Amino acid sequence: MVGPAYPVAMDLTIKDVADRTGLSAHTIRYYCDQGLVPSVQRDSNNQRLFNEDCLGWLERVKVLRECGMSIADVRAYVHQCLRGDETLSERMELIEKYAHIADAQLLEAHARADYLRKQLAYYAQIRDGLVPDTTDISRWGRR
């Protein structure tokens, strides 16, 4: 990630962060408890306070989780990031692996969308009386 696409903000509440990221408050708390948001702070009442860095971490975690990365792998990635340049090659390998996974997921999603479009075209032909409805199982024994 290049950096968060949010305006500079300090001391955001968990509700603010949930609204900005689309993650549930429960998920945000879980990610924090798992050590995936190292920059989160606590106020005098022990409530989590988030800043711009937190939003960046959460965005990264969200994308990585959407690609299927395990919590353990995300945690390892976060720790590698915190160690700096010495882990750059490891981070690149991990991100490359999940970029390939995301590419495969995209191909699968396109295949599903193509199937659904074909089904829609077929149903339109049925509706227009061009072909019989072979998907209606109630008619299968009455041919």
Side-chain angles (χ1 to χ4, degrees):
M1 295 239 143
V2 174
Y6 307 102
V8 173
M10 299 300 289
D11 296 342
L12 297 169
T13 66
I14 200 158
K15 183 184 179 325
D16 297 329
V17 173
D19 290 344
R20 288 186 180 206
T21 63
L23 295 167
S24 70
H26 173 79
T27 298
I28 294 166
R29 283 186 202 95
Y30 177 73
Y31 288 168
C32 291
D33 292 346
Q34 293 299 310
L36 308 183
V37 188
S39 54
V40 70
Q41 301 293 311
R42 299 276 185 161
D43 68 11
S44 60
N45 296 319
N46 206 30
Q47 297 291 312
R48 290 175 182 89
L49 293 175
F50 299 87
N51 60 22
E52 195 70 24
D53 288 342
C54 298
L55 292 172
W57 282 111
L58 285 165
E59 190 64 35
R60 285 183 199 127
V61 171
K62 180 180 176 182
V63 170
L64 296 174
R65 293 290 293 147
E66 288 170 348
C67 291
M69 188 180 285
S70 69
I71 293 293
D73 279 351
V74 174
R75 189 180 304 110
Y77 171 76
V78 168
H79 287 113
Q80 289 170 347
C81 289
L82 294 174
R83 288 178 40 215
D85 290 345
E86 71 185 64
T87 65
L88 184 60
S89 62
E90 291 97 331
R91 286 182 278 153
M92 288 177 70
E93 286 175 22
L94 189 63
I95 296 302
E96 183 176 24
K97 172 185 171 182
Y98 283 96
H100 290 301
I101 291 170
D103 289 339
Q105 290 171 336
L106 185 59
L107 290 173
E108 292 167 0
H110 281 297
R112 288 190 302 272
D114 288 345
Y115 172 81
L116 294 172
R117 283 190 203 91
K118 288 176 186 173
Q119 282 298 115
L120 283 172
Y122 176 63
Y123 290 148
Q125 289 179 326
I126 294 169
R127 180 197 61 214
D128 297 342
L130 301 173
V131 297
D133 185 357
T134 60
T135 62
D136 184 353
I137 61 171
S138 68
R139 297 180 182 185
W140 284 3
R142 295 188 240 151
R143 291 196 202 248

